[in-house]
Amino acid sequence: KYFFLFCMSFAIAALITPYAAKTARRLKIVDRPDGRLKKHKKAVPYLGGAALYMAFIAALVFGKVFFSGGIKGIIGIGIGGTMIFALGLADDIKRLKIMTKLIVQILAAAVLIVCNVKIRFLPWEWLNNAVNMLWVVGVNNSFNLVDIMDGLAAGIALIAAAAFFIIGVQTNMLFSPMAAICLAGATAGFLVYNYPPAVIFMGDAGSLFLGFMLSALAMGDRYTETNVLAVISPLLILGVPVFETFFVMWIRYRDGKKILWGSPDHFPLRLLKIGLSRGRVLAVAYSSGAVLSVLAWTAIRISPSASIAVYTLTALVMLFFAHLLGKIRI
């Protein structure tokens, strides 16, 4: 059933994406180059996020109805995901204020909490809820931030969704392996058109939606019966966007720039600066995501002390690379 749902969501996304591109061009919902952050040669249509959203929702609802007998268990991510998709779509059409976007993201996170999709590893419920809010909003914006190059955000999301699916099936402790495989299929179908040179962008509708879904998929009471620290594993699976977020914030703070103001400080752009091709930059990002996912898979199967060593060593390696990347002049 999982293979069927992957193929279904892949096919829907692959079929819908070209029509989304045509619609975006007709409605003039396009991303125009500005010579600063947006250096593509011509205007590229948005609305790739619409194809992602429709493929995911259609496959997931079909899977839940025909394989599980109803849509129970996906109402929270369905409502919250629709709110985030609508927010991103509105931002693609007409730029919204940061506070407006933040409020909607918090409300979508609240929907997950109300529907009992949340992390519960802390002793106080209010603190669990606060961590859930911070997690959802943070991952939302990390994927929005990492969507800086053709194929980057989609490829990273595909790897992360596959990792959540594999771990979810093996441990039966994640929120929904079915949702993970549907998201992986939809992202793969979209990536066919988004891989360089991209013929369509996912826009905020896609990047925010992917971030929201992956943040929800990561939620669970625990990841293993033997290692309580395995709850940290999602930070590794989503390590590339998390690294990008903190790296950009640090660079902007170091250089006296506004943290929330767009600037070409992203790590993929720095790798381009030292001479790597776009294909090699994507290879670095994809392989990093895959290695981090393997480390996360390993960390849930070893003792707490060994997992601490894995997390610590990974953090030190990330800090080392952040130091090297920070020396590259942009």
Side-chain angles (χ1 to χ4, degrees):
K1 71 180 179 182
Y2 290 130
F3 178 72
F4 173 80
L5 290 175
F6 177 87
C7 292
M8 180 182 180
S9 56
F10 176 92
I12 294 173
L15 290 171
I16 290 178
T17 300
Y19 291 99
K22 291 180 180 178
T23 302
R25 289 192 189 96
R26 187 170 63 249
L27 298 177
K28 300 189 185 312
I29 306 174
V30 296
D31 189 27
R32 292 182 172 82
D34 60 11
R36 182 169 172 266
L37 287 175
K38 303 176 180 182
K39 296 184 179 181
H40 39 284
K41 296 180 180 180
K42 59 181 180 179
V44 179
Y46 279 137
L47 294 188
L52 278 169
Y53 170 79
M54 289 187 284
F56 170 77
I57 292 295
L60 181 58
V61 170
F62 178 90
K64 291 294 289 186
V65 170
F66 284 89
F67 295 123
S68 301
I71 61 172
K72 183 180 179 181
I74 63 169
I75 295 176
I77 63 170
I79 295 175
T82 300
M83 291 172 62
I84 292 296
F85 166 71
L87 170 68
L89 185 61
D91 194 44
D92 288 334
I93 297 172
K94 183 179 181 180
R95 289 297 173 187
L96 303 176
K97 294 181 179 178
I98 293 177
M99 188 54 65
T100 301
K101 296 168 69 174
L102 182 61
I103 290 172
V104 176
Q105 289 177 52
I106 291 174
L107 290 175
V111 169
L112 290 179
I113 293 173
V114 170
C115 293
N116 212 31
V117 181
K118 56 183 178 179
I119 304 168
R120 303 180 187 84
F121 66 95
L122 297 171
W124 303 283
E125 189 65 14
W126 68 268
L127 190 55
N128 279 318
N129 291 339
V131 169
N132 278 278
M133 291 275 189
L134 182 63
W135 170 252
V136 173
V137 174
V139 175
N140 265 202
N141 289 288
S142 71
F143 265 90
N144 187 240
L145 193 64
V146 83
D147 186 25
I148 196 68
M149 180 186 295
D150 297 359
L152 183 60
I156 292 170
L158 170 58
I159 293 168
F164 282 128
F165 167 73
I166 292 170
I167 293 175
V169 169
Q170 291 185 345
T171 64
N172 198 30
M173 292 178 184
L174 289 185
F175 167 59
S176 177
M178 187 178 290
I181 200 64
C182 289
L183 188 65
T187 308
F190 169 75
L191 189 57
V192 172
Y193 303 94
N194 186 241
Y195 195 84
V199 298
I200 187 172
F201 291 162
M202 67 173 66
D204 284 1
S207 60
L208 291 175
F209 176 73
L210 287 177
F212 179 84
M213 283 301 156
L214 288 168
S215 69
L217 291 177
M219 292 182 180
D221 290 335
R222 60 201 186 283
Y223 278 65
T224 174
E225 295 283 5
T226 58
N227 183 1
V228 294
L229 293 177
V231 74
I232 304 174
S233 291
L235 285 173
L236 293 184
I237 296 173
L238 299 174
V240 174
V242 169
F243 172 84
E244 165 74 338
T245 301
F246 284 101
F247 175 73
V248 169
M249 291 174 64
W250 168 63
I251 289 293
R252 291 175 182 173
Y253 174 79
R254 184 197 68 179
D255 296 344
K257 301 174 184 177
K258 293 181 180 179
I259 291 179
L260 298 179
W261 189 261
S263 62
D265 293 311
H266 306 264
F267 84 85
L269 302 183
R270 289 174 178 268
L271 293 178
L272 287 175
K273 189 72 174 179
I274 62 174
L276 269 66
S277 66
R278 290 183 177 271
R280 289 185 177 180
V281 171
L282 290 180
V284 169
Y286 292 172
S287 59
S288 297
V291 169
L292 289 169
S293 295
V294 171
L295 289 174
W297 180 84
T298 302
I300 70 174
R301 283 164 170 74
I302 55 182
S303 66
S305 58
S307 67
I308 290 176
V310 170
Y311 297 139
T312 302
L313 182 60
T314 303
L316 290 174
V317 171
M318 286 185 167
L319 287 173
F320 174 71
F321 279 107
H323 173 70
L324 293 181
L325 288 168
K327 290 185 176 182
I328 301 172
R329 296 180 63 85
I330 293 291

